[in-house]
Amino acid sequence: MTTATALAHPNIAFIKYWGNRDDALRIPQNGSISMNLAGLHTHTRVCFDPSYAVDSFTLNNLPQTGAGLERVSQFLDIVRTLAGKNWKAQVESANNFPTGAGIASSAAAFAALAVAASQAIGLDLDERRLSALARRGSGSASRSIPAGYVEWLPGNNDSDSYAVTLAPPAHWDLVDCIAVLKETHKLTGSSEGHLLAGSSPLQQARIGSCGERLQRCRRAIISRDFDALASVVELDSNLMHAVMMTSNPALFYWEPASIEIMKAVPEWRQSGLPACYTLDAGPNVHVLCPADHAAVVRSRLEIIPGVLQVLTATAGGGAHLTAED
Ligand code: DP6
């Protein structure tokens, strides 16, 4: 029996991943940039044993079956092929954030699983290979492997599509204030959504103009220019949601309170409070701001009708092994 445990944070995308060139390998149509979310994490223990007949998977102590187990098992198949071993595994995973709070848990989940499973089976993978491996489980998980502010280089094949650190967490003290609007699971998951991106007449325009937004975002991070970051982050979120809303079938992730916040935040900015919004494939609104403005942003979000709770996260580190429990 060989075991390993690892921890990884979810991340919030500043420049979004939406649509693949290769769905099986999760080679994205465009590069993306994100910040890891400290304080929120997934902790995963993997145990391989030649005597196990099947893979098993528990999430927050609840045994998983069906699609959840299948996705983990398929990911373990990739790890087994790399290692040339056919051992089955026991996977135990726990999130410290509310399950179903609409926080993208697949990024943290597959980043932690990639680190724990590869170590437990005896592979010695560097950060680049871990990121490419995590990508096979969930595209955005590639970005939860390196620390801090991260860019996923889209690449052309399995080995050159991986993420790198643009700047370490301490480079910029941004805070993500997450306005949680719904605690139920989203209707259309990201994996299904990526398949629909190409059916929107706007996707080609989004992809064609993405290089310029990536450049603006990189520069804003490097020079800690919040206004420059705010304009490109809001534009990129709106573009992705325009693609979602014009795909076939159309995907509408926003709730009325999402729009309230999207209208309020630029007004706050104009009146001197540095803050900007971005939304992933769900109604929750991530409001980014410098740390010294987080308390004000949080209290303003908390009184908006429809906001159930506000979680806050600073820039987080990369995925890493942890000591055995
Ligand atoms: C809207 O990484 O969740 O959050 O590869 O199918 O697991 P899969 O998709 P996923 O897609 C993330 C989509 C997004 C934008 C982003 O995080 O870049």
Side-chain angles (χ1 to χ4, degrees):
M1 176 192 293
T2 53
T3 68
T5 64
L7 181 148
H9 303 292
N11 64 74
I12 179 63
F14 293 176
I15 302 293
K16 309 292 188 185
Y17 152 50
W18 198 248
N20 287 312
R21 284 175 47 193
D22 182 324
D23 286 302
L25 290 176
R26 290 184 159 87
I27 308 293
Q29 287 182 16
N30 64 282
S32 52
I33 293 178
S34 59
M35 176 181 106
N36 284 345
L37 301 178
L40 310 179
H41 63 244
T42 299
H43 201 204
T44 296
R45 179 173 187 270
V46 177
C47 174
F48 282 102
D49 192 312
S51 73
Y52 294 155
V54 291
D55 292 322
S56 64
F57 170 41
T58 63
L59 179 58
N60 296 332
N61 288 321
L62 296 173
Q64 305 291 304
T65 54
L69 172 62
E70 183 64 15
R71 194 167 170 182
V72 165
S73 210
Q74 280 174 4
F75 182 79
L76 292 172
D77 286 342
I78 297 168
V79 176
R80 284 186 275 257
T81 303
L82 279 175
K85 292 181 176 136
N86 61 3
W87 304 342
K88 300 293 181 192
Q90 207 175 51
V91 177
E92 291 163 10
S93 216
N95 296 328
N96 78 336
F97 48 90
T99 304
I103 313 294
S105 52
S106 66
F110 283 100
L113 185 59
V115 173
S118 58
Q119 171 77 16
I121 209 162
L123 291 165
D124 183 21
L125 304 182
D126 60 13
E127 183 180 277
R128 171 178 170 164
R129 293 189 71 198
L130 281 171
S131 174
L133 174 62
R135 188 200 78 237
R136 301 288 301 275
S138 175
S140 55
S142 65
R143 298 189 311 241
S144 282
I145 296 287
Y149 297 88
V150 172
E151 177 164 2
W152 176 6
L153 310 169
N156 297 303
N157 56 52
D158 187 29
S159 63
D160 71 3
S161 184
Y162 63 98
V164 295
T165 293
L166 282 176
H171 170 74
W172 199 4
D173 60 351
L174 291 184
V175 173
D176 181 12
C177 301
I178 310 164
V180 177
L181 306 183
K182 260 205 171 161
E183 290 181 338
T184 52
H185 279 288
K186 55 193 170 194
L187 293 177
T188 307
S190 303
S191 302
E192 226 179 303
H194 291 295
L195 299 175
L196 302 177
S199 67
S200 164
L202 305 183
Q203 173 72 345
Q204 281 319 311
R206 190 187 76 86
I207 299 302
S209 56
C210 193
E212 187 243 330
R213 288 190 301 285
L214 286 164
Q215 180 68 346
R216 281 168 61 187
C217 186
R218 252 180 243 127
R219 285 197 180 134
I221 290 171
I222 299 305
S223 59
R224 301 185 198 89
D225 181 341
F226 190 83
D227 282 342
L229 183 78
S231 62
V232 75
V233 162
E234 291 184 353
L235 170 63
D236 195 81
S237 174
N238 293 345
L239 277 167
M240 180 183 71
H241 284 270
V243 167
M244 292 163 160
M245 286 187 261
T246 50
S247 66
N248 182 16
L251 302 174
F252 296 97
Y253 287 108
W254 298 342
E255 288 294 319
S258 315
I259 300 173
E260 280 305 307
I261 299 171
M262 292 165 68
K263 286 164 79 174
V265 168
E267 287 171 14
W268 298 350
R269 199 161 65 244
Q270 268 146 35
S271 62
L273 178 65
C276 68
Y277 66 78
T278 184
L279 291 86
D280 279 343
N284 296 341
V285 188
H286 294 251
V287 182
L288 306 168
C289 64
D292 46 353
H293 298 279
V296 176
V297 168
R298 186 192 182 121
S299 61
R300 287 196 189 183
L301 289 172
E302 273 168 352
I303 55 172
I304 294 176
V307 174
L308 303 176
Q309 61 169 322
V310 178
L311 305 172
T312 57
T314 54
H320 56 88
L321 289 166
T322 61
E324 286 291 319
D325 300 326

